[in-house]
Amino acid sequence: MNEYEPNPKLQNLVNQPKKNNNKILFILIGVIVLLIFIIFIMSLGGKKVIEREVEKKQSLDEISTEIRYFIDVNKLDALDAFGYDNLARVAINEICYGVDNCKSIQGSAVREYISNIFDTEVTFSNINCELGDGVIYTYDSKNDKFVFTGEHAHGGIGTKPIYTKVNSIKRKGDKFELVLNKLYYNPERTDYITTDPFGVNRVYNSKDYMHTVEGGEDVDLTKLSANYENNFDELKNVGTRYKYIFGEKEGHYILEKYEVINEEE
């Protein structure tokens, strides 16, 4: 063999495929892909943890707004007129709100309202007029319904204030204590704007706040609210205030306690 002629054995060895090198390359690529996938999954999990940690906690102002809406939409201002010991009357007031000729109310509807709002049960009986004028609704236990007696020609008590302002809101454990100041006006009972629906605790003479509207006169709420707000530090503990203690159940508020505050602080 010529010394310059390539050795066939060596030539074949050089020209063989690099099988081992390819296997190592594939393994490295697989490991890298796996590491990238693990890092991606971990980053998603970490993001969820961070989001839970920085979840926004509601402020007391936000909670008071929610509770005031809850009071309004469920017509709970009626407690001021009918009292906490007359929940059936409060329920009927809400059920019949905006309903013409609402003279017969199913007990099941009253029962459901009381359960949802107060998380309690009551024993039904005849309901007396809030003005001491005898029975206003008789309870028919056989048919489970309340029936309006139709014997009350006098005007009723206002169950909705013309102005409401938060006196205080406190968080006590898992409960919320809200105190409201309210202004009522019922021209059938008094010429004064009062802090109660019965026209007892006077704040303003309504004549100082009347303005002309279609069909007559009414209270100028813009003027009234501005004056009340400007003098609230002096008036916040004057007259009647209303304390509500709310808890939560199954994602919604429950009114656990209601109290009328009459003493001045």
Side-chain angles (χ1 to χ4, degrees), residues 80 178-180 182 195-196 240-244 258-259:
D80 306 347
L178 176 70
V179 178
L180 296 179
K182 304 179 187 181
T195 60
D196 64 284
T240 308
R241 282 141 288 143
Y242 306 89
K243 180 189 292 186
Y244 305 80
Y258 164 86
E259 179 183 352

Side-chain angles (χ1 to χ4, degrees), residues 167 179 181 228 232-241 262-265:
N167 182 301
V179 178
N181 287 45
Y228 193 69
F232 188 66
D233 287 342
E234 301 172 11
L235 297 171
K236 66 183 298 183
N237 294 321
V238 174
T240 308
R241 282 141 288 143
N262 286 312
E263 72 276 7
E264 294 189 13
E265 299 177 354

Side-chain angles (χ1 to χ4, degrees), residues 1-11:
M1 180 186 296
N2 191 309
E3 61 179 332
Y4 297 107
E5 184 178 343
N7 188 322
K9 293 183 178 180
L10 290 177
Q11 186 70 30

Side-chain angles (χ1 to χ4, degrees), residues 78-174:
L79 286 165
D80 306 347
F82 306 136
Y84 194 72
D85 57 349
N86 202 352
L87 299 185
R89 182 78 166 95
V90 175
I92 290 173
N93 178 78
E94 194 277 337
I95 293 167
C96 288
Y97 186 82
V99 179
D100 293 332
N101 200 32
C102 189
K103 295 183 178 181
S104 179
I105 303 94
Q106 291 297 319
S108 58
V110 175
R111 201 173 287 109
E112 181 180 8
Y113 174 91
I114 294 173
S115 176
N116 289 340
I117 304 302
F118 304 98
D119 192 29
T120 190
E121 297 180 359
V122 297
T123 301
F124 291 158
S125 60
N126 294 342
I127 299 175
N128 290 321
C129 173
E130 61 276 6
L131 295 175
D133 194 19
V135 175
I136 189 168
Y137 290 96
T138 58
Y139 176 61
D140 178 357
S141 59
K142 182 178 180 179
N143 296 298
D144 189 29
K145 63 181 179 180
F146 291 89
V147 181
F148 180 64
T149 64
E151 299 170 357
H152 298 257
H154 59 71
I157 296 297
T159 59
K160 187 173 180 61
I162 59 174
Y163 190 71
T164 301
K165 181 173 175 61
V166 174
N167 182 301
S168 64
I169 174 73
K170 300 176 183 177
R171 189 195 306 267
K172 294 190 173 182
D174 60 348

Side-chain angles (χ1 to χ4, degrees), residues 162-165 183 204 209 219-232:
I162 59 174
Y163 190 71
T164 301
K165 181 173 175 61
L183 296 178
Y204 301 115
Y209 292 92
V219 175
D220 185 341
L221 293 180
T222 301
K223 180 180 178 181
L224 175 68
S225 61
N227 196 20
Y228 193 69
E229 291 283 347
N230 290 336
N231 296 282
F232 188 66

Side-chain angles (χ1 to χ4, degrees), residues 67-77 180 244 246:
I67 291 177
R68 285 185 61 186
Y69 176 77
F70 184 86
I71 290 171
D72 183 62
V73 76
N74 292 295
K75 307 294 181 291
L76 290 178
D77 289 306
L180 296 179
Y244 305 80
F246 282 92

Side-chain angles (χ1 to χ4, degrees), residues 50-61:
I50 292 173
E51 287 177 350
R52 285 197 293 269
E53 289 177 349
V54 300
E55 184 176 354
K56 185 177 180 293
K57 187 175 183 179
Q58 282 186 301
S59 69
L60 286 177
D61 285 341

